[in-house]
Amino acid sequence: MDNRDNLKQNMIYNEQFKYDGLNPMQQKAVFATEGPVLVLAGAGSGKTRVLTHRFAYLVEERGVSPYDILAITFTNKAAREMKERVEDLLGNYYRGLWVSTFHSACVRILRMEIDKLDFKKNFVIYDTMDQQVVMKECLEELDLDREMFQPRIVLGKMGRAKDQLIGPDRYASEFGDDFLNKKISELYGMYQDKLKKNNALDFDDLIMKTVQLFQTNPMVLHYYQNKFKYILVDEFQDTNMAQYVLISLLAKEHGNLCVVGDDDQSIYGWRGADIRNILGFEKDFPDSRVVKLEQNYRSTKSILDAANMVVANNMDRKVKKLWTDNQGGEIIQCYQGNNEYDEANFIASTIEKLNYEENRPYSQFAVLYRTNAQSRVIEEMLMKNGIPYRIYSGVRFYDRKEIKDILAYLRAVENPADDVSVKRIINVPRRGIGAKSMSRFEKYAEANSESFFNALLNVNKIQNQSRVEAQTNKFTDLIMSLREKRNEMTVTSIVEKIYEDSGYIDALLAEDKIEAESRIENLKEFLSLTQDFDENAEEKTLDGFLARTSLETTMDEDGDDMNTVSLMTLHGAKGLEFPVVFISGMEEGIFPSYMSIQENNEEEERRLCYVGITRAKERLYISHAVQRTLYGRTNQNAISRFIKEIPEGLIDIDKPYDRKKEVRKMQTSPLFTGAMMHQKRKSKHSLDPNRIKAGVKVKHPKFGVGTVVSVAGEILTIAFVDAGIKKISSEFVKLEITE
């Protein structure tokens, strides 16, 4: 049987079964093939199913060549999923379909047409490191200070300009009034010239150059306008200006543009997404049809009703209302904690309760929060309760680069002979101590059997560059001055001094990027940890602090076990779903954030809340705290306005009894006080203290078999064969006696 017979047989099957499984509005979105169509697809309404069935319908029922359809989405993962589903519907004998991301589609076009822009077709695409190399060359040629014009920051500004289709000349005319932007416009022009000379594009060039190609070459544009008779765009609410212009140009000839998205889930304005693209679609395409997908297949009725009531408070939105055939379900539970530890304990104990009573695997739970810094206390409480977890689309608090950097500074202050820590931070932030200088220091240390730090102290004997010598002395002076005073200072004071004198915070502020802001938030949250230690630890020394925090890396955890609670930011949760969801930190100033309130961006925050609520399939728990220490500051925040927008019949707001005793117990981190929990129960990992003494052999899940060297309460010093000597908490880690 040849391909034609296969296709005919598939069509007969499809006519009978394929489209009957779609609900009436999904069918309408699939069958409305001609002209511009806006599909408003609410959360959990099956938008990917609609897109792929629409693609199949065009081919099988309308006789359109699958190579005349352009289907665009945002991520490689989503593009692969869409392509696989289309192939499942049509059969696997189609290859080379135009189902891809925006950038992949542009690369494919540019490979065939970029010679019209005086580039060769074998152009290369520069990654981040390549970009920085070119930018550094530009800075040197213009004799600009790298501290004032840091390559990553300049490249970030240029990238944002390219997303707005702003080239070097226009950048100079629009932003070149002050010295800084005038120089950036010069760098922008020089950078683009160097890329062209190298026959290279960077990632941000791909869409901008494709638009430029179309706008300056009418014949090329006409060819692709005729080729793509039907265009499908997923996640349309996330498009930026360049992407919108690209799609508008391509759709102008045939007008068969179908965009699928949800304005209520537009949460990436800070990344360049423009919600006006979806809100103004009917104005830009006056003859467009609108199809609303409002039937939700994910959540219970009570959860959907709450989500609808919250997002209905936004003014700039398309009116729609999610509904479901699912059962009503339990109403939302709202817990008021006395502080962040009380709140985290509620989350952990509820997970434990549902895991035990309903036999729910941990993989059914997700804990969502507005900022990464909020995860620290939640992580600690989950560890205290022996609940496995993983950070989704992120890293654990203590594993984040900025936290590791500051811990390395503290270790260097406590022990300058720690070569690993000193080498990690010698050039963090950048001090201009390059690879050659590092090599000289290392050779000197090795030749003299000294530590790397001692080599730095002898910089005048090793270096002949005054700038390197000055920067090295500045670093060693900071470490030595703090070392001399460390017993007189609180750990918080030491950390604040490092932040200020090392220039670490200033360097992040200079980056002026979202990622840098997140790192600063984490560093501020680190101060919450140190303040807690300074106030409540028995041994208030830097050495004691480092010993305690080092325990986090020895928690009982199986990295290969996916039966874990998922922790993630609300932004990271988009597109995911879980049977049980917790949204923590629902307070004014946290969620919505202070910045969104100050910048009058409440509506995007409310959309983010809508996204969070609609991640829950069966149960939703919302929590807030009367008092919270975050970023080193203790505040009493009002309950979030978003909670107040949920009607009483849909939410059960907890009114806790007077728990003054419990509050006092919950004021400190579970990593610092082992007996402060509500339940006052013995950890499931604890060993019989009568059996643990020096000389006993134990087995650690990560480090293997080791011998106990000394015992100090729950802290065991153990010598492992391969891992060396470690301080381990018998309270947190599952140890087995191997006698």
Side-chain angles (χ1 to χ4, degrees):
M1 187 181 290
D2 61 20
N3 285 347
R4 193 174 303 170
D5 293 331
N6 278 332
L7 182 57
K8 186 176 181 181
Q9 187 169 332
N10 278 343
M11 287 177 66
I12 295 171
Y13 171 84
N14 292 333
E15 288 172 358
Q16 293 175 345
F17 302 106
K18 184 177 291 182
Y19 305 105
D20 289 345
L22 302 173
N23 69 41
M25 296 309 292
Q26 289 175 333
Q27 288 182 350
K28 185 177 179 180
V30 168
F31 300 154
T33 59
E34 306 307 303
V37 179
L38 169 61
V39 180
L40 292 172
S45 62
K47 68 179 180 63
T48 304
R49 195 168 186 228
V50 165
L51 278 168
T52 53
H53 278 74
R54 182 183 174 91
F55 195 114
Y57 181 80
L58 285 168
V59 175
E60 295 175 339
E61 306 300 330
R62 305 293 294 181
V64 178
S65 167
Y67 301 103
D68 290 346
I69 304 172
L70 174 64
I72 294 289
T73 187
F74 272 81
T75 67
N76 290 320
K77 180 181 177 183
R80 282 194 300 270
E81 181 184 356
M82 189 187 298
K83 197 168 187 178
E84 288 169 2
R85 290 203 198 182
V86 168
E87 289 175 351
D88 287 343
L89 291 169
L90 294 177
N92 293 324
Y93 35 81
Y94 289 113
R95 293 290 181 268
L97 298 178
W98 286 77
V99 180
S100 67
T101 64
F102 274 98
H103 292 91
S104 296
C106 288
V107 169
R108 194 168 171 182
I109 293 170
L110 292 172
R111 285 289 178 209
M112 294 182 279
E113 310 290 351
I114 201 170
D115 56 319
K116 313 308 193 287
L117 297 177
D118 295 327
F119 282 79
K120 295 177 182 177
K121 292 183 179 179
N122 64 341
F123 65 89
V124 296
I125 302 173
Y126 278 175
D127 62 16
T128 304
M129 295 301 294
D130 297 325
Q131 289 180 266
Q132 292 196 27
V133 169
V134 177
M135 182 52 65
K136 287 173 183 176
E137 291 177 2
C138 296
L139 289 167
E140 288 178 7
E141 291 183 26
L142 291 178
D143 194 27
L144 294 175
D145 182 12
R146 280 198 204 173
E147 294 301 320
M148 181 178 292
F149 298 91
Q150 294 185 33
R152 282 188 300 172
I153 299 172
V154 176
L155 289 166
K157 289 180 179 292
M158 286 165 40
R160 288 191 288 275
K162 291 177 183 181
D163 286 343
Q164 297 295 315
L165 298 176
I166 298 174
D169 294 338
R170 186 177 158 197
Y171 191 97
S173 62
E174 291 194 14
F175 305 108
D177 292 340
D178 60 80
F179 171 78
L180 187 67
N181 280 315
K182 183 178 180 181
K183 290 302 178 183
I184 289 177
S185 68
E186 291 180 39
L187 287 167
Y188 190 180
M190 181 179 288
Y191 172 84
Q192 293 301 120
D193 289 342
K194 285 183 179 292
L195 258 60
K196 189 169 184 179
K197 181 182 177 183
N198 295 342
N199 195 41
L201 302 178
D202 64 24
F203 192 75
D204 296 316
D205 279 324
L206 297 175
I207 296 176
M208 185 177 181
K209 287 294 182 185
T210 306
V211 171
Q212 182 185 346
L213 171 72
F214 289 158
Q215 290 176 334
T216 57
N217 293 271
M219 293 297 291
V220 174
L221 174 60
H222 184 68
Y223 170 79
Y224 286 98
Q225 284 176 334
N226 276 286
K227 175 175 178 53
F228 299 128
K229 296 178 175 61
Y230 294 87
I231 299 173
L232 314 178
V233 183
D234 190 16
E235 301 288 5
F236 190 65
Q237 78 280 349
D238 292 336
T239 52
N240 59 31
M241 179 182 177
Q243 292 160 340
Y244 185 73
V245 171
L246 175 72
I247 291 301
S248 299
L249 286 170
L250 287 172
K252 194 170 185 179
E253 181 73 19
H254 294 284
N256 298 324
L257 172 62
C258 176
V259 300
V260 181
D262 183 5
D263 53 302
D264 288 335
Q265 295 188 73
S266 179
I267 58 175
Y268 296 119
W270 50 274
R271 211 162 62 183
D274 192 342
I275 193 174
R276 293 174 297 181
N277 293 346
I278 191 168
L279 293 178
F281 185 83
E282 295 163 86
K283 182 180 179 181
D284 293 342
F285 298 87
D287 57 342
S288 60
R289 282 175 286 181
V290 178
V291 181
K292 297 181 181 181
L293 303 183
E294 297 171 296
Q295 183 175 0
N296 175 283
Y297 293 92
R298 176 189 299 156
S299 306
T300 63
K301 185 178 186 303
S302 58
I303 290 172
L304 290 184
D305 287 347
N308 286 329
M309 294 303 294
V310 169
V311 80
N313 289 279
N314 276 356
M315 300 298 293
D316 294 329
R317 67 182 293 262
K318 301 283 188 180
V319 178
K320 57 186 172 299
K321 187 174 182 180
L322 294 181
W323 61 275
T324 183
D325 284 334
N326 296 337
Q327 295 180 355
E330 296 188 13
I331 66 173
I332 298 168
Q333 299 296 311
C334 179
Y335 181 79
Q336 176 180 295
N338 289 299
N339 54 45
E340 67 273 23
Y341 289 107
D342 189 7
E343 176 192 45
N345 182 62
F346 162 74
I347 293 171
S349 60
T350 303
I351 291 173
E352 211 168 26
K353 179 175 181 287
L354 294 177
N355 170 255
Y356 177 75
E357 293 182 356
E358 300 182 8
N359 199 29
R360 287 183 181 269
Y362 291 122
S363 57
Q364 290 196 3
F365 300 91
V367 184
L368 312 182
Y369 35 80
R370 181 61 181 84
T371 63
N372 279 312
Q374 289 172 252
S375 77
R376 178 183 65 82
V377 175
I378 298 169
E379 288 183 63
E380 292 181 1
M381 199 63 72
L382 291 177
M383 287 187 290
K384 178 65 181 176
N385 284 270
I387 298 173
Y389 72 92
R390 66 186 176 117
I391 303 289
Y392 195 98
S393 298
V395 293
R396 292 169 177 266
F397 183 80
Y398 290 102
D399 289 338
R400 291 171 182 141
K401 179 186 181 300
E402 59 275 13
I403 301 303
K404 282 184 170 292
D405 287 342
I406 296 307
L407 285 171
Y409 267 100
L410 294 176
R411 292 190 185 104
V413 170
E414 181 62 31
N415 177 22
D418 180 355
D419 285 358
V420 173
S421 293
V422 174
K423 288 180 181 179
R424 178 184 179 95
I425 57 173
I426 180 59
N427 215 25
V428 179
R430 289 183 343 106
R431 297 184 172 90
I433 301 173
K436 289 183 179 179
S437 298
M438 289 288 289
S439 178
R440 292 192 187 104
F441 289 133
E442 287 171 344
K443 287 178 180 177
Y444 181 91
E446 185 177 348
N448 292 275
S449 299
E450 294 181 352
S451 69
F452 184 80
F453 189 82
N454 271 355
L456 298 178
L457 291 173
N458 287 285
V459 60
N460 62 321
K461 301 177 183 177
I462 304 169
Q463 280 288 344
N464 52 13
Q465 295 182 27
S466 58
R467 187 174 185 279
V468 173
E469 183 175 346
Q471 289 296 322
T472 303
N473 284 333
K474 188 176 179 181
F475 171 76
T476 54
D477 287 348
L478 170 63
I479 299 300
M480 291 305 295
S481 65
L482 289 175
R483 178 167 173 74
E484 291 171 3
K485 301 174 184 175
R486 71 187 189 283
N487 293 328
E488 305 164 13
M489 301 172 68
T490 63
V491 176
T492 301
S493 298
I494 296 173
V495 172
E496 288 174 337
K497 191 72 173 171
I498 291 171
Y499 287 175
E500 182 179 351
D501 291 1
S502 70
Y504 199 107
I505 297 288
D506 290 339
L508 289 174
L509 287 170
E511 288 187 21
D512 190 28
K513 294 173 68 177
I514 294 294
E515 294 85 350
E517 290 178 11
S518 178
R519 288 181 175 179
I520 292 172
E521 288 178 353
N522 289 331
L523 291 172
K524 289 179 178 178
E525 177 59 11
F526 189 75
L527 291 175
S528 300
L529 188 70
T530 60
Q531 288 171 358
D532 188 44
F533 176 85
D534 290 334
E535 292 171 8
N536 299 290
E538 293 181 10
E539 185 186 359
K540 295 180 175 62
T541 64
L542 177 57
D543 180 49
F545 177 78
L546 291 171
R548 292 288 184 177
T549 53
S550 69
L551 295 174
E552 198 279 337
T553 62
T554 65
M555 294 297 116
D556 183 18
E557 169 193 11
D558 184 356
D560 297 326
D561 181 10
M562 298 308 290
N563 184 26
T564 55
V565 176
S566 294
L567 272 61
M568 66 191 77
T569 63
L570 285 146
H571 283 98
K574 187 172 180 289
L576 302 175
E577 59 184 46
F578 300 89
V580 184
V581 169
F582 297 83
I583 303 179
S584 61
M586 292 285 284
E587 302 144 33
E588 293 289 298
I590 305 296
F591 188 34
S593 68
Y594 281 122
M595 185 176 295
S596 70
I597 296 171
Q598 291 170 354
E599 296 178 357
N600 196 27
N601 197 23
E602 177 185 325
E603 294 213 348
E604 182 159 319
E605 287 286 286
R606 185 174 283 107
R607 293 194 293 269
L608 188 59
C609 182
Y610 171 84
V611 167
I613 292 173
T614 54
R615 297 314 94 192
K617 297 170 68 174
E618 301 170 19
R619 296 191 185 184
L620 176 62
Y621 296 87
I622 290 175
S623 59
H624 65 101
V626 175
Q627 176 177 294
R628 182 182 301 274
T629 301
L630 190 65
Y631 312 139
R633 298 188 303 271
T634 300
N635 293 310
Q636 291 184 335
N637 301 316
I639 186 172
S640 171
R641 65 192 69 183
F642 303 146
I643 294 179
K644 296 178 180 178
E645 291 170 356
I646 301 174
E648 287 185 9
L650 298 174
I651 187 169
D652 180 11
I653 298 181
D654 173 61
K655 296 179 175 62
Y657 59 87
D658 187 7
R659 294 174 294 193
K660 293 181 180 178
K661 252 186 186 178
E662 285 81 353
V663 172
R664 284 196 294 273
K665 292 176 184 175
M666 301 301 294
Q667 288 297 323
T668 61
S669 163
L671 283 179
F672 299 145
T673 52
M676 67 190 329
M677 293 299 110
H678 250 6
Q679 297 101 335
K680 276 190 172 181
R681 59 176 177 80
K682 190 175 181 181
S683 168
K684 64 179 75 174
H685 295 152
S686 297
L687 297 174
D688 183 352
N690 296 322
R691 299 183 64 193
I692 296 297
K693 55 186 176 181
V696 170
K697 290 188 180 299
V698 295
K699 185 177 181 181
H700 186 280
K702 180 177 180 180
F703 303 126
V705 176
T707 303
V708 176
V709 177
S710 64
V711 180
E714 69 182 58
I715 305 300
L716 311 180
T717 302
I718 306 173
F720 295 99
V721 176
D722 297 322
I725 297 177
K726 302 283 185 182
K727 287 186 177 182
I728 306 293
S729 171
S730 61
E731 189 75 13
F732 297 150
V733 182
K734 186 176 182 179
L735 299 171
E736 298 176 7
I737 296 176
T738 61
E739 292 177 334

